[in-house]
């Protein structure tokens, strides 16, 4: 695609670009679809491909956990609506799932270009017309339409659905409790007191907090205080 047609690169904190697209559940306006929810938007190189099939099955089986957190899932693949519908049958058969979330029809790569989901590393990752396939991108978007997470995987590597859910828990819990989360955190583990919280304020907010270093203060945060319940 010509350079002048490239969308502005997206960064953490960017507003998620709006678009109208056909999906397996009808035509959507993306911002209307988001509404007051969190959204996980994730792309796939193509229908009827092995890694993508396992990924969509895993997301479908984990969807109730995302829904419980106020998160909507929406996939994208660069094929036609009829292709998507037939592919879903295979996904459900192979994964013993019941895929309910929409999959965007993006055979013209309009959304893929808008969100910069294309593969510029593997020049062989193209369709029969020589058009670049999408890579495995993940965007976590909050109710303000702000992009909070961007992940990009090569076409050869499947994603980790549990990690996407863990990041959602971290973001939602941090927004609610003025904390950040350390390496490998899962709900119920100790968290880090946010740098903007003074020690005096922390004594009220987090009575059990401990000062490890002036820049590192840990505090217990029960699982029932996180978004995982």
């Amino acid at each position: 695609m010509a350079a002048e047609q490239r969308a502005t690169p997206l960064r953490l904190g960017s507003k998620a670009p709006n678009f109208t697209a056909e999906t397996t559940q009808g035509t959507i306006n993306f911002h209307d679809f988001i509404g007051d929810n969190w959204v996980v938007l994730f792309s796939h190189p193509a229908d009827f491909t092995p890694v993508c099939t396992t990924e969509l099955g895993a997301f479908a089986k984990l969807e109730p956990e995302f829904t419980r957190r106020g998160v909507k899932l929406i996939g994208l693949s660069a094929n036609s609506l009829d292709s998507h519908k037939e592919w879903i049958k295979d996904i459900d058969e192979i994964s013993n799932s019941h895929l309910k979330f929409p999959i965007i029809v993006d055979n013209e790569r309009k959304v893929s270009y808008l969100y910069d989901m294309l593969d510029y590393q593997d020049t062989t990752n193209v369709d029969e017309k020589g058009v670049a396939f999408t890579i495995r991108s993940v965007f976590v978007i909050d109710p303000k339409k702000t992009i909070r997470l961007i992940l990009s995987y090569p076409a050869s590597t499947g994603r980790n659905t549990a990690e996407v859910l863990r990041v959602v828990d971290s973001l939602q819990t941090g927004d609610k409790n003025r904390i950040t989360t350390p390496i490998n955190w899962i709900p119920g583990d100790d968290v880090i007191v946010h740098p903007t919280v003074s020690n005096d304020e922390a004594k009220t907010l987090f009575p059990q907090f401990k000062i490890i270093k002036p820049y590192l203060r840990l505090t217990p945060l029960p699982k029932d205080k996180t978004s995982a319940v």
Side-chain angles (χ1 to χ4, degrees):
M1 193 171 189
E4 63 271 21
Q5 294 177 285
R6 291 284 303 280
T8 301
L10 298 176
R11 301 285 186 261
L12 297 183
S14 296
K15 184 173 182 179
N18 196 21
F19 58 84
T20 299
E22 187 177 19
T23 78
T24 51
Q25 296 182 12
T27 300
I28 66 161
N29 173 287
F30 188 51
H31 282 186
D32 290 345
F33 174 81
I34 295 172
D36 296 325
N37 304 282
W38 289 70
V39 165
V40 175
L41 166 65
F42 52 102
S43 62
H44 298 271
D47 296 356
F48 300 104
T49 51
V51 178
C52 300
T53 300
T54 63
E55 288 183 318
L56 277 164
F59 271 113
K61 293 171 82 169
L62 200 58
E63 185 178 19
E65 289 297 319
F66 284 101
T67 300
R68 199 157 59 82
R69 292 159 170 82
V71 181
K72 300 170 78 171
L73 300 179
I74 184 166
L76 175 149
S77 187
N79 294 96
S80 68
L81 178 61
D82 288 342
S83 176
H84 285 1
K85 289 181 175 179
E86 289 302 312
W87 185 32
I88 288 172
K89 295 176 184 177
D90 279 7
I91 293 165
D92 285 340
E93 176 188 347
I94 292 167
S95 299
N96 192 28
S97 58
H98 182 47
L99 197 156
K100 298 178 181 179
F101 54 82
I103 302 175
I104 296 167
V105 176
D106 198 36
N107 47 346
E108 295 183 2
R109 312 293 197 274
K110 290 183 179 179
V111 179
S112 300
Y113 280 111
L114 185 63
Y115 277 77
D116 200 18
M117 296 174 172
L118 298 184
D119 192 341
Y120 296 101
Q121 173 177 281
D122 182 0
T123 57
T124 67
N125 188 28
V126 297
D127 65 12
E128 68 277 2
K129 296 180 181 178
V131 179
F133 278 128
T134 54
I135 53 176
R136 303 184 192 286
S137 296
V138 181
F139 294 86
V140 174
I141 302 165
D142 70 18
K144 295 179 180 179
K145 306 348 183 244
T146 300
I147 295 174
R148 301 292 297 275
L149 170 79
I150 301 173
L151 292 172
S152 294
Y153 289 69
S156 60
T157 304
R159 285 161 283 206
N160 186 321
T161 52
E163 171 63 4
V164 177
L165 186 66
R166 188 188 78 89
V167 173
V168 168
D169 280 334
S170 173
L171 291 170
Q172 292 184 342
T173 300
D175 286 356
K176 181 180 179 182
N177 294 284
R178 299 180 68 187
I179 56 90
T180 59
T181 57
I183 180 74
N184 295 330
W185 175 85
I186 57 173
D189 288 352
D190 287 357
V191 297
I192 298 170
V193 178
H194 197 280
T196 61
V197 177
S198 68
N199 285 340
D200 286 342
E201 192 175 10
K203 291 174 184 177
T204 301
L205 294 174
F206 311 108
Q208 300 180 62
F209 88 100
K210 297 179 181 179
I211 300 174
I212 310 302
K213 293 288 184 180
Y215 56 84
L216 176 59
R217 299 167 297 169
L218 296 177
T219 186
L221 190 71
K223 187 174 180 179
D224 62 9
K225 299 291 186 182
T226 72
S227 63
V229 294

